[in-house]
Amino acid sequence: MATSRPARRNNTDPESTRREILQAALEVLAQDGPESLSVAEVARRAGVNRGTAYQHFPTREDLAHATASWVSDRIYQEFYGDFEQLSETNEVYPADLALARLSDFAMNNPELSRAWLFDVMSTQGTVTDKFWKRYVEELGEFARSGYGREDIDVEVFAFITLASALLWPIWVGAHAKSTKARDKMQQRFVDEMMRLVLFGSLVPERHANLVKRFSKGGK
Amino acid sequence: MATSRPARRNNTDPESTRREILQAALEVLAQDGPESLSVAEVARRAGVNRGTAYQHFPTREDLAHATASWVSDRIYQEFYGDFEQLSETNEVYPADLALARLSDFAMNNPELSRAWLFDVMSTQGTVTDKFWKRYVEELGEFARSGYGREDIDVEVFAFITLASALLWPIWVGAHAKSTKARDKMQQRFVDEMMRLVLFGSLVPERHANLVKRFSKGGK
DNA sequence: GCTATAGTCAACAATGCTGTCTATTACCTC
DNA sequence: GAGGTAATAGACAGCATTGTTGACTATAGC
């Protein structure tokens, strides 16, 4: 009964198929958020049979979790992977380079940024994010190194910088179309952030009471 | 042919029905994002017949847009509505109060915050957001008033503060369960943000080159 | 009091997605 | 060449969602 059409195999390497599915899932995730991630759409976009997707990820939830975890790994790799060896020689990564690197990453990986932000916004809350932990850790070392102020609340500061750096390119992407305009917007972000961490935004002389209240952690 | 059950009218005021639908839509939107906003789910949550929802909003897209616009209005009202008169007498709203107010708003309106953030993250990009415009405007006045530094890039700074202030409670909500813990986290955010805008995060003496580069806008 | 109409509701058809299953083809290794 | 693995095609029931339509009801205007 050879009624059914030939079932050609496009790919013989299961690992690459898996990656393609995850990549497609990332795209969908970045576009619509985790709640509207559909196996059918992912399979379609990956150019893969729906059954194949179900072979790799038995259920929609499994695919969602696998994708989230894959995103976390990829961000970590992209960000820290290729200079693991550097951090052994160099004690502290210079502030301006670190910021430029972060901003650059966000600008060049809007999908990963979006996916990460969606994850943050998901009510579950991923505490076990490798990237986040490492980022906070390095910021802590920086604060203790003498280059950064010691009274920083590291977690909060890490959150502020990360959240705004990753969200900025998305905001920009929606408002500025051309590559040139986007580059300019990235520069503006880095400059303003540098300005902020160097000088703050208030004129101290006009805020004597606040200066007093927030100096040396006195309440 | 009275086979069909009586179609009782629970509500005679269309405006209130509309509001209830929008409120339910906001809840769904805040939970799952705009892409997975379904009329059926909204109607169910609003305790209203699906057909009624379609009467008020002919299509899913219409409901989504109406909700987004309603969110924008509500944020504006909640934030600026009840002290419109104050701003006429008072020239500049003090920095610490403004920040506390923003943080407070975000902590007490996580749904509106989430909805706003989802809107920011939507690829469309809402340039016409009343709240955003007003916020940037006031920050600009502050920068020019002498209380704030003049070299601030107002739009970028506004984005950084808004994005992190609105996203923070969501992040916190996922990590801290009790009300007490959340209050503490809010305080941490306000303190760190104040510390940041007052003093920055770098030790200037250790970054002489950066200080030079970013002073007076010299490149 | 009667009727027109706006507001609401229940039911319907069409579509899409999920999860599962079977039959089939291609490739790789032994 | 045999046997296992990876992938495809197709079909199925169950369910949710989208729009549409026709029927019902409360209220306002006459």
Side-chain angles (χ1 to χ4, degrees):
Chain A
M1 236 79 73
T3 61
S4 57
R5 226 76 62 60
R8 296 275 302 294
R9 259 178 83 183
N10 298 332
N11 191 347
T12 175
D13 176 18
E15 207 47 47
S16 87
T17 304
R18 191 188 148 90
R19 267 199 307 277
E20 269 165 40
I21 295 173
L22 284 172
Q23 174 62 36
L26 164 60
E27 287 169 21
V28 175
L29 180 66
Q31 213 172 62
D32 297 340
E35 303 306 321
S36 41
L37 185 95
S38 94
V39 179
E41 172 65 18
V42 167
R44 217 174 299 140
R45 194 180 291 228
V48 137
N49 190 278
R50 206 164 58 87
T52 304
Y54 273 101
Q55 207 137 11
H56 284 268
F57 309 97
T59 167
R60 201 197 86 110
E61 283 299 297
D62 291 331
L63 174 58
H65 288 140
T67 309
S69 139
W70 187 64
V71 164
S72 178
D73 279 2
R74 271 198 59 190
I75 291 187
Y76 188 88
Q77 281 304 321
E78 297 262 349
F79 204 77
Y80 290 119
D82 54 328
F83 77 130
E84 276 291 338
Q85 62 276 30
L86 281 185
S87 63
E88 295 178 6
T89 56
N90 213 341
E91 283 186 352
V92 172
Y93 205 65
D96 55 336
L97 287 188
L99 176 59
R101 188 179 169 84
L102 174 61
S103 170
D104 217 57
F105 164 79
M107 205 49 103
N108 291 324
N109 297 277
E111 286 180 351
L112 287 176
S113 299
R114 285 176 74 93
W116 192 84
L117 286 165
F118 273 128
D119 214 44
V120 168
M121 290 182 70
S122 122
T123 25
Q124 326 301 349
T126 322
V127 203
T128 60
D129 190 52
K130 255 170 76 180
F131 172 60
W132 165 253
K133 281 189 176 167
R134 170 81 178 259
Y135 186 77
V136 171
E137 206 175 290
E138 299 221 334
L139 220 49
E141 284 174 22
F142 184 75
R144 287 187 301 273
S145 73
Y147 288 98
R149 291 179 60 99
E150 281 190 343
D151 56 354
I152 295 176
D153 185 331
V154 175
E155 272 190 29
V156 181
F157 183 65
F159 180 85
I160 294 172
T161 52
L162 255 191
S164 47
L166 293 188
L167 197 47
W168 175 253
I170 296 167
W171 166 273
V172 162
H175 293 231
K177 338 131 267 314
S178 74
T179 319
K180 205 172 164 186
R182 287 220 311 278
D183 285 352
K184 188 178 175 185
M185 290 300 260
Q186 181 183 1
Q187 195 55 48
R188 275 181 66 188
F189 180 81
V190 173
D191 285 350
E192 172 61 13
M193 195 58 118
M194 282 306 296
R195 198 203 55 66
L196 178 59
V197 297
L198 276 171
F199 310 114
S201 290
L202 304 187
V203 174
E205 295 81 32
R206 304 293 286 267
H207 296 89
N209 56 335
L210 292 178
V211 170
K212 199 168 151 194
R213 210 170 91 208
F214 283 92
S215 291
K216 311 182 180 182
K219 184 185 178 164
Chain B
M1 238 83 70
T3 61
S4 58
R5 224 79 59 63
R8 296 273 302 291
R9 263 178 81 181
N10 298 330
N11 192 346
T12 175
D13 175 20
E15 206 48 47
S16 88
T17 305
R18 191 189 148 92
R19 267 199 309 277
E20 270 163 41
I21 294 173
L22 284 172
Q23 174 62 37
L26 165 59
E27 288 168 21
V28 175
L29 180 66
Q31 211 172 61
D32 298 340
E35 301 307 319
S36 40
L37 184 93
S38 93
V39 180
E41 172 64 19
V42 167
R44 215 174 301 139
R45 196 180 291 229
V48 137
N49 190 280
R50 213 162 50 81
T52 303
Y54 273 101
Q55 195 93 6
H56 285 271
F57 310 97
T59 166
R60 202 195 85 109
E61 284 298 300
D62 291 331
L63 174 58
H65 288 139
T67 308
S69 139
W70 187 64
V71 163
S72 178
D73 280 1
R74 272 199 57 191
I75 291 186
Y76 188 88
Q77 281 304 321
E78 297 262 348
F79 204 78
Y80 290 119
D82 54 328
F83 76 131
E84 275 293 337
Q85 62 278 30
L86 281 185
S87 65
E88 295 179 4
T89 56
N90 213 343
E91 283 187 351
V92 173
Y93 206 64
D96 56 336
L97 287 188
L99 177 58
R101 188 179 169 84
L102 174 60
S103 171
D104 218 55
F105 164 79
M107 204 50 100
N108 291 324
N109 297 277
E111 285 179 351
L112 288 176
S113 300
R114 286 176 73 94
W116 192 84
L117 285 165
F118 273 128
D119 213 45
V120 168
M121 290 181 69
S122 120
T123 26
Q124 326 302 349
T126 322
V127 204
T128 60
D129 191 49
K130 254 170 77 180
F131 172 59
W132 164 254
K133 281 188 176 167
R134 170 82 177 257
Y135 186 77
V136 170
E137 206 175 289
E138 300 222 332
L139 220 49
E141 284 174 22
F142 185 76
R144 287 187 300 274
S145 72
Y147 288 97
R149 292 180 58 100
E150 281 191 342
D151 56 355
I152 295 177
D153 185 331
V154 175
E155 272 191 28
V156 181
F157 183 64
F159 180 86
I160 293 172
T161 52
L162 254 192
S164 47
L166 294 187
L167 196 46
W168 175 254
I170 296 168
W171 167 273
V172 162
H175 292 230
K177 328 134 269 317
S178 74
T179 318
K180 204 172 164 186
R182 288 219 311 278
D183 284 352
K184 188 176 173 185
M185 290 300 260
Q186 181 185 0
Q187 196 54 52
R188 275 180 67 189
F189 180 81
V190 173
D191 285 349
E192 171 63 13
M193 195 57 116
M194 280 307 296
R195 199 203 55 65
L196 179 60
V197 296
L198 275 171
F199 311 114
S201 292
L202 304 186
V203 174
E205 296 82 33
R206 303 294 285 269
H207 297 89
N209 56 333
L210 292 179
V211 170
K212 199 168 150 195
R213 209 169 92 209
F214 284 91
S215 292
K216 311 182 181 183
K219 184 186 176 165

